[in-house]
Amino acid sequence: MSQQGSGEKTEKASKKKKEDARKRGEVHQSHDLVSAVSLTVVFALVEAGYAPFAEKLQEFLSHHLADGYVLAQADNLTPAMLQSVYRNTLLEILPIVLPLMLIVMVVDTALHVAQVGPMLTTERIKPNFSKISPIQGFKRLFSSVTVMELIKSLVKTTTMGVLISRATTGDVSRFLEMMYLQPDRAFSSLIRLCAGLGIQIGAALIGFAAVDIFYQWWKYEKDLRMTKQEVKDENKQLEGDPQIKGKIRQLQRRMSTQRMMRNVPDADVVVTNPTHFAVALRYREGKDSAPVVVAKGQDLVAQQIKKIARESNVTIVENKPVARALYAACEIGQAIPAELYQAIADILIYVYKVTNRMPTAK
């Protein structure tokens, strides 16, 4: 049971995992939003620039569908002529549709950047043979993602069908009237109807895409979830193995203690508890503004400090409250606080009298 539980992806994705996923091109974005906005922009541009667009498109169609043009091309039908016709047709139609294509391209790029930010990755274009594997393809065919995409497609198709049905039903009379209009006027009316209908469909799809944005974010977070073991492994990679870190800290403490012990022979006095605390003090006249703590320790370290002090003929003074106060208030290399000046002065005077010496200036 514990092994099964550890394999469940219950933890949120870490920052590192999201960064790695982004490098692979895995981000949450709604392609439906891009498609819906692009569709709306195209028809809105047609509606806004209706007259010039309709005029150019009408001229193009009138020329290429005219009897004289068609017959002339049919009389001289050769491969070279076909290439020339295709080339000329492309050059004629590009100025008509190119502005729309450029604007849509800018809008699409802006929408992608707005959703995922600036991103450049080559991972998506690398060959991935698992995508063409029949087994993997069969699994994807019946996956939850495929089912959700099918539902989304049905909703969008139904929405478009309802809107088109309503528009055509409501404008039947206008379609009938086009039968009696001149081709140019009928063509203009048809473009206006299509542009208005396209804007309605695009607006409906944008509303649907707004919901899809939240779905894509939820799916992205769900797919990147991690197991507890994955979180532990990642922390080890980022911060190092806890056991190794513990050994490093232990070694650092040992080295720090050794350096501290080398300072004990230079001390003037060691103030003790007497068994639990030991603090070694040094005072050099002209160099130290106040007595300085050169070593301190508790329990075993305190015993070691006292042992080195005895071997180095450093005076040991027992004073429980002062020893506790020094241990709590001072760090190694730090001068004693002002409130302990008098107590330490009395201790040093006692030491100087016992040892028959005065503070030195080193």
Side-chain angles (χ1 to χ4, degrees):
M1 293 294 292
S2 60
Q3 291 180 351
Q4 292 178 354
S6 62
E8 295 179 0
K9 295 187 176 184
T10 57
E11 307 302 311
K12 289 184 177 180
S14 63
K15 182 178 179 181
K16 179 180 181 301
K17 186 165 186 179
K18 289 183 178 181
E19 290 175 351
D20 292 342
R22 183 178 178 84
K23 291 177 182 178
R24 297 192 302 269
E26 298 175 7
V27 291
H28 64 88
Q29 60 176 324
S30 174
H31 295 285
D32 290 337
L33 176 65
V34 178
S35 301
V37 173
S38 299
L39 179 67
T40 307
V41 167
V42 167
F43 284 108
L45 290 173
V46 172
E47 179 71 19
Y50 158 74
F53 176 80
E55 182 179 348
K56 290 181 180 179
L57 190 58
Q58 183 176 332
E59 290 177 359
F60 174 81
L61 293 176
S62 298
H63 173 69
H64 285 269
L65 296 180
D67 294 340
Y69 179 84
V70 174
L71 293 175
Q73 303 303 323
D75 290 339
N76 302 305
L77 191 60
T78 62
M81 186 273 295
L82 285 176
Q83 293 181 4
S84 176
V85 169
Y86 290 149
R87 183 172 58 254
N88 294 334
T89 302
L90 180 63
L91 292 176
E92 290 180 29
I93 200 171
L94 270 180
I96 301 175
V97 299
L98 189 59
L100 287 176
M101 294 171 60
L102 291 176
I103 294 174
V104 171
M105 184 178 67
V106 171
V107 171
D108 287 359
T109 303
L111 287 172
H112 281 293
V113 173
Q115 291 188 82
V116 303
M119 184 178 67
L120 180 63
T121 179
T122 59
E123 292 294 327
R124 288 291 186 176
I125 62 176
K126 290 182 178 180
N128 187 353
F129 296 103
S130 64
K131 292 184 177 180
I132 60 176
S133 170
I135 297 176
Q136 295 296 329
F138 186 78
K139 290 181 179 179
R140 287 194 296 268
L141 185 62
F142 295 97
S143 65
S144 58
V145 176
T146 304
V147 174
M148 180 56 66
E149 291 299 324
L150 176 61
I151 294 174
K152 288 164 56 178
S153 298
L154 290 174
V155 172
K156 289 187 287 186
T157 304
T158 303
T159 302
M160 294 173 62
V162 170
L163 291 175
I164 293 173
S165 176
R166 289 177 55 186
T168 54
T169 302
D171 291 327
V172 169
S173 58
R174 297 182 62 181
F175 284 109
L176 294 175
E177 292 175 358
M178 292 181 192
M179 298 173 60
Y180 303 100
L181 296 177
Q182 293 295 324
D184 56 343
R185 295 185 58 188
F187 180 74
S188 300
S189 299
L190 183 62
I191 288 182
R192 279 195 176 279
L193 285 174
C194 290
L197 180 59
I199 293 174
Q200 293 181 37
I201 293 175
L205 293 181
I206 288 176
F208 174 79
V211 179
D212 185 61
I213 291 175
F214 290 100
Y215 166 72
Q216 295 297 337
W217 172 81
W218 172 83
K219 180 178 177 298
Y220 173 80
E221 294 289 336
K222 179 176 176 293
D223 291 343
L224 287 185
R225 282 189 176 184
M226 308 169 66
T227 64
K228 294 183 182 295
Q229 186 60 42
E230 287 175 337
V231 174
K232 292 179 181 178
D233 293 342
E234 185 179 281
N235 289 334
K236 285 183 180 180
Q237 292 177 358
L238 295 176
E239 302 177 4
D241 193 317
Q243 294 182 352
I244 297 177
K245 290 175 64 179
K247 290 181 180 179
I248 293 175
R249 285 195 295 266
Q250 183 179 2
L251 180 61
Q252 290 173 340
R253 287 195 296 268
R254 185 182 303 169
M255 295 174 63
S256 177
T257 301
Q258 291 175 353
R259 289 194 300 268
M260 180 182 69
M261 293 302 177
R262 289 196 292 266
N263 296 329
V264 175
D266 295 331
D268 293 306
V269 63
V270 173
V271 185
T272 67
N273 191 32
T275 57
H276 295 296
F277 299 99
V279 181
L281 298 173
R282 180 204 71 201
Y283 179 65
R284 298 292 180 264
E285 188 175 4
K287 179 181 179 181
D288 300 327
S289 59
V292 177
V293 175
V294 294
K296 72 172 187 176
Q298 187 176 3
D299 298 330
L300 294 177
V301 178
Q303 299 303 322
Q304 190 175 359
I305 291 174
K306 288 191 290 183
K307 177 183 177 183
I308 296 175
R310 284 191 291 267
E311 294 174 352
S312 304
N313 297 320
V314 177
T315 305
I316 299 175
V317 177
E318 178 182 335
N319 191 319
K320 295 181 181 180
V322 174
R324 285 180 175 273
L326 285 171
Y327 186 87
C330 301
E331 298 296 332
I332 298 173
Q334 182 180 350
I336 65 173
E339 55 267 23
L340 292 177
Y341 280 180
Q342 186 60 50
I344 300 303
D346 294 340
I347 292 174
L348 289 176
I349 291 172
Y350 167 75
V351 171
Y352 296 149
K353 286 183 179 179
V354 170
T355 58
N356 194 25
R357 68 180 178 85
M358 293 300 292
T360 58
K362 293 185 181 179

